[in-house]
């Protein structure tokens, strides 16, 4: 199904209208005056620089700030100050990296400050939850080293509800082997408090990973330890059948999530964490599908959805106001393709290093074909490629925070 761009623009504009709040409304919501908000901004900037200084992170050069921070995080990812600095940088709207903020009004700064604080708070809560659930995951792995004994529990009512749910998926609910195996699985999970708390995730993982065994092998009790290990899928390979299989698996978890989310004995946040982090299916959904609703996601995806589209900014727009790289690509497509083939990770790192230490970027840009004829476009091209590369490095760095 194609995307109706007019409709997408219409939805976007409606969302902006619904979300719009005046400056005074935002000040009232946060319980401050305009002058108090400006003081908060100043204190926020001072706190950021102080924490960076205490953690040996340079703040005079934005590229070096990012490199220093990533190096420190790799060495000490559990440091809460480093986590905070990271979230400040990744959500920055021009209060910390002020490269293009010279014409910004105080009113715009205040609005950006409160927008950023909302993002920082949301990501802080998400990161905290992920760390807690990663710890629980490792605890459950240890817990499963001991035997769990199945009790004689009547699960017939729960099974009936599950069979109605599974009718929407590719399961033969009249299959006696499947019914018996599912009954044994549910009884096993309900016999132990820890297993019960993760029940919707475990059911999903067993049925998506051991679909055939559950339907065809009598007295099949799956290895529960295995469902708490990472399951690889070749999500980039799509032959049509794979797409349908992955889509069905995502929908199966969503249905189980809704079915169990109100039960107090179920740790639905932990189940969501396992779904997002123990297979690539969540990332497959966000990268390969038209996202119509939100499903559990990994930390890097959450950051990506909240970080500003302008992150990271490495050059002053005024230096290149006369140069439109998009128009240049359209008019010089063959040359642009040559630049694409010439640019490499090594060249981008060399360019970022030049920015980091104040070297002349011309030496890097000269490595692109026909630099002499199109010097400004070549530099702008490398700036944009470097922004993308640094953005990916910063995003990938978030993996260090979650140990599973």
């Amino acid at each position: 199904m194609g995307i109706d761009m007019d409709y997408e623009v219409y939805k976007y504009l409606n969302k902006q209208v619904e979300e719009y709040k005046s400056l005074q409304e935002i000040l009232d919501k946060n319980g401050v005056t305009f002058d108090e908000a400006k003081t908060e901004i100043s204190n926020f900037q001072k706190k950021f620089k102080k924490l960076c200084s205490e953690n040996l992170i340079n703040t005079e050069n934005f590229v070096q700030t990012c490199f220093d921070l990533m190096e420190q995080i790799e060495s000490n990812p559990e440091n809460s100050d480093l986590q905070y600095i990271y979230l400040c940088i990744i959500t920055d709207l021009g209060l910390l990296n002020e490269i293009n903020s010279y014409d910004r009004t105080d009113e715009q700064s205040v609005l950006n400050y409160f927008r950023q604080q909302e993002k920082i708070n949301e990501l802080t809560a998400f990161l905290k939850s992920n760390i807690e659930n990663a710890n629980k995951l490792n605890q459950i792995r240890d817990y499963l080293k001991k035997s769990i004994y199945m009790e004689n529990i009547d699960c017939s009512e729960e099974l009936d509800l599950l069979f109605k749910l599974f009718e929407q998926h590719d399961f033969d609910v009249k299959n006696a082997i499947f019914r018996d195996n599912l009954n044994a699985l549910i009884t096993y999970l309900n016999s132990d408090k820890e297993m019960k708390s993760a029940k919707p995730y475990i059911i999903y993982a067993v049925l998506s990973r051991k679909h055939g065994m559950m339907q065809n092998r009598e007295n099949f009790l799956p290895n529960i330890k295995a469902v708490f290990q990472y399951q690889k899928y070749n999500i980039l390979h799509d032959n049509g059948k794979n797409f349908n299989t992955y889509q069905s698996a995502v929908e199966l978890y969503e249905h189980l999530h809704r079915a169990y989310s109100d039960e107090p004995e179920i740790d639905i946040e932990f189940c969501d964490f396992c779904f997002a982090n123990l297979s690539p299916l969540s990332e497959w959904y966000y990268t390969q599908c038209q996202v119509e609703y939100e499903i559990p996601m990994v930390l890097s995806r959450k950051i990506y959805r909240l970080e500003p589209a302008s992150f990271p900014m490495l050059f002053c727009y005024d230096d290149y106001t006369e140069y439109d790289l998009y128009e240049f690509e359209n008019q010089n497509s063959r040359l642009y393709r040559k630049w694409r083939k010439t640019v490499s990770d090594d060249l981008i790192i060399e360019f970022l290093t030049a920015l980091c230490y104040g070297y002349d970027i011309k030496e890097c840009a000269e490595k692109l074909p026909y630099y002499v004829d199109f010097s400004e476009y070549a530099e702008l091209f490398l700036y944009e490629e470097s922004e993308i590369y640094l953005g990916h490095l910063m995003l990938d760095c978030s993996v260090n925070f979650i140990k599973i």
Side-chain angles (χ1 to χ4, degrees), residues 225-389:
K225 293 178 184 178
V227 306
F228 290 108
Q229 301 300 325
Y230 189 82
Q231 174 71 27
K232 292 183 179 179
Y233 294 95
N234 186 7
I235 60 173
L236 298 180
H237 179 68
D238 178 32
N239 59 9
K241 181 180 178 182
N242 284 344
F243 185 95
N244 293 335
T245 299
Y246 300 158
Q247 185 178 48
S248 179
V250 170
E251 291 173 352
L252 173 62
Y253 180 73
E254 279 300 290
H255 290 160
L256 287 165
H257 172 106
R258 290 198 297 267
Y260 283 101
S261 59
D262 293 333
E263 294 195 14
E265 294 173 298
I266 303 297
D267 188 344
I268 205 66
E269 280 194 7
F270 176 67
C271 292
D272 286 351
F273 173 83
C274 290
F275 170 80
N277 288 273
L278 294 180
S279 88
L281 287 185
S282 174
E283 276 300 282
W284 169 84
Y285 172 76
Y286 284 111
T287 58
Q288 305 297 318
C289 300
Q290 182 174 338
V291 177
E292 297 179 352
Y293 55 90
E294 190 172 284
I295 67 170
M297 64 188 75
V298 296
L299 176 61
S300 59
R301 177 60 49 182
K302 183 72 170 181
I303 293 169
Y304 179 76
R305 288 166 70 85
L306 287 179
E307 70 179 5
S310 57
F311 177 85
M313 285 190 289
L314 301 184
F315 66 97
C316 179
Y317 296 150
D318 276 3
D319 292 343
Y320 296 92
T321 52
E322 299 177 7
Y323 305 97
D324 186 329
L325 199 57
Y326 179 75
E327 183 179 340
F328 176 82
E329 179 183 5
N330 288 335
Q331 295 177 355
N332 302 272
S333 57
R334 291 180 64 183
L335 175 58
Y336 205 84
R337 284 196 296 271
K338 285 185 179 180
W339 285 359
R340 286 280 188 200
K341 291 179 181 179
T342 303
V343 74
S344 63
D345 288 355
D346 288 342
L347 180 56
I348 291 175
I349 291 172
E350 183 182 343
F351 188 80
L352 286 170
T353 302
L355 295 177
C356 185
Y357 296 107
Y359 302 156
D360 188 355
I361 61 171
K362 179 181 177 181
E363 294 183 12
C364 300
E366 283 178 337
K367 296 180 179 180
L368 295 177
Y370 298 97
Y371 166 79
V372 175
D373 298 321
F374 304 103
S375 57
E376 288 82 3
Y377 286 109
E379 293 170 5
L380 186 56
F381 171 79
L382 284 180
Y383 267 121
E384 294 202 354
E385 290 296 310
S386 297
E387 286 182 339
I388 294 170
Y389 188 85

Side-chain angles (χ1 to χ4, degrees), residues 44-58:
F44 169 65
Q45 293 168 325
K46 290 175 183 176
K47 177 183 177 181
F48 174 80
K49 289 185 177 181
K50 179 174 182 292
L51 288 175
C52 285
S53 176
E54 291 172 351
N55 288 277
L56 305 178
I57 296 170
N58 181 291

Side-chain angles (χ1 to χ4, degrees), residues 149-156 158-159 180-192 199:
Y149 297 99
M150 191 181 300
E151 298 179 4
N152 185 17
I153 303 172
D154 181 11
C155 302
S156 57
E158 182 176 1
L159 283 169
D180 289 344
N181 284 336
L182 187 62
N183 179 53
L185 176 63
I186 299 303
T187 302
Y188 174 85
L189 299 179
N190 286 341
S191 298
D192 182 87
K199 184 162 51 175

Side-chain angles (χ1 to χ4, degrees), residues 87-304:
L87 296 182
C88 288
I89 290 177
I90 210 80
T91 59
D92 181 42
L93 291 163
L95 297 175
L96 304 176
N97 177 22
E98 299 179 299
I99 194 167
N100 286 300
S101 61
Y102 52 89
D103 60 348
R104 188 178 58 216
T105 66
D106 286 345
E107 288 78 7
Q108 290 170 327
S109 293
V110 168
L111 289 171
N112 284 350
Y113 168 72
F114 286 116
R115 284 172 59 201
Q116 182 177 9
Q117 293 308 303
E118 286 183 1
K119 292 175 185 289
I120 290 174
N121 292 338
E122 185 173 349
L123 286 173
T124 299
F126 191 83
L127 174 58
K128 180 175 181 292
S129 173
N130 269 238
I131 292 172
E132 291 172 352
N133 284 315
N135 291 335
K136 180 174 180 178
L137 173 61
N138 290 318
Q139 289 168 5
I140 280 188
R141 286 169 174 164
D142 288 337
Y143 182 79
L144 284 170
K145 293 176 182 178
K146 73 171 189 176
S147 299
I148 295 175
Y149 297 99
M150 191 181 300
E151 298 179 4
N152 185 17
I153 303 172
D154 181 11
C155 302
S156 57
E157 185 176 343
E158 182 176 1
L159 283 169
D160 287 341
L161 291 173
L162 286 173
F163 286 135
K164 289 180 181 178
L165 185 154
F166 295 151
E167 284 178 341
Q168 304 173 52
H169 299 272
D170 187 23
F171 293 101
D172 182 4
V173 297
K174 295 181 180 180
N175 180 334
I177 295 176
F178 177 59
R179 296 178 74 90
D180 289 344
N181 284 336
L182 187 62
N183 179 53
L185 176 63
I186 299 303
T187 302
Y188 174 85
L189 299 179
N190 286 341
S191 298
D192 182 87
K193 181 179 178 182
E194 293 297 327
M195 294 299 97
K196 190 173 185 178
S197 71
K199 184 162 51 175
Y201 167 72
I202 295 174
I203 295 172
Y204 149 78
V206 167
L207 294 184
S208 61
R209 300 181 185 187
K210 299 297 180 181
H211 182 279
M213 295 287 198
M214 286 292 287
Q215 294 195 109
N216 300 315
R217 179 179 291 185
E218 293 184 5
N219 303 315
F220 175 70
L221 188 62
N223 179 3
I224 302 302
K225 293 178 184 178
V227 306
F228 290 108
Q229 301 300 325
Y230 189 82
Q231 174 71 27
K232 292 183 179 179
Y233 294 95
N234 186 7
I235 60 173
L236 298 180
H237 179 68
D238 178 32
N239 59 9
K241 181 180 178 182
N242 284 344
F243 185 95
N244 293 335
T245 299
Y246 300 158
Q247 185 178 48
S248 179
V250 170
E251 291 173 352
L252 173 62
Y253 180 73
E254 279 300 290
H255 290 160
L256 287 165
H257 172 106
R258 290 198 297 267
Y260 283 101
S261 59
D262 293 333
E263 294 195 14
E265 294 173 298
I266 303 297
D267 188 344
I268 205 66
E269 280 194 7
F270 176 67
C271 292
D272 286 351
F273 173 83
C274 290
F275 170 80
N277 288 273
L278 294 180
S279 88
L281 287 185
S282 174
E283 276 300 282
W284 169 84
Y285 172 76
Y286 284 111
T287 58
Q288 305 297 318
C289 300
Q290 182 174 338
V291 177
E292 297 179 352
Y293 55 90
E294 190 172 284
I295 67 170
M297 64 188 75
V298 296
L299 176 61
S300 59
R301 177 60 49 182
K302 183 72 170 181
I303 293 169
Y304 179 76

